[in-house]
Amino acid sequence: MIRVRFVRADGTVREAAGCEGARLLDVAQADGQPLEGTCNGDMACATCHVVVAAEDIDRLPPPSEEEEDLLDLVPAATRTSRLACQIRLTAALDGMTVRVPG
Ligand code: FES
């Protein structure tokens, strides 16, 4: 299992785990994190926006152009923002920290 730490807007920290290949969005939702994921991964909603910890961002493959374009429309987006529906868990991501804007 790949472990992920979710930090909520209110400061609550929870550690969840998902199988290799699972989408970060699905792992977050299974853990009860407030990510709507309205379009279910079609890159049409950005309600799955998360902010990856700066020290972990380089462990992720870079975003596609489509993902970057959608993130550009998110007012709260930061340099390490990603769409949780586009992130697949791999061993390289074990223990990463992700902030859920809420
Ligand atoms: Fe809609 Fe990720 S779930 S963009």
Side-chain angles (χ1 to χ4, degrees), residues 25 37-41 43-46 48 70 83 85:
L25 175 62
T38 313
C39 78
N40 196 28
M43 275 204 271
C45 72
C48 62
L70 192 52
L83 298 177
C85 68

Side-chain angles (χ1 to χ4, degrees), residues 1-5 15-20 55-56 59-60 88-97:
M1 295 293 263
I2 318 291
R3 294 161 306 132
V4 182
R5 262 159 43 97
E15 188 168 288
C19 299
E20 179 132 19
E55 62 270 27
D56 292 327
R59 298 161 72 181
L60 284 163
R88 296 269 175 191
L89 296 188
T90 64
L93 301 182
D94 188 42
M96 77 169 172
T97 299

Side-chain angles (χ1 to χ4, degrees), residues 10-81:
D10 65 2
T12 315
V13 180
R14 283 177 60 94
E15 188 168 288
C19 299
E20 179 132 19
R23 295 189 310 175
L24 182 61
L25 175 62
D26 297 324
V27 175
Q29 287 181 333
D31 189 53
Q33 299 298 330
L35 288 179
E36 279 178 37
T38 313
C39 78
N40 196 28
D42 284 344
M43 275 204 271
C45 72
T47 59
C48 62
H49 167 230
V50 294
V51 179
V52 177
E55 62 270 27
D56 292 327
I57 192 70
D58 290 338
R59 298 161 72 181
L60 284 163
S64 65
E65 213 166 291
E66 221 181 337
E67 182 180 350
E68 276 188 339
D69 287 349
L70 192 52
L71 283 168
D72 280 344
L73 304 176
V74 178
T78 76
R79 206 174 48 78
T80 61
S81 286

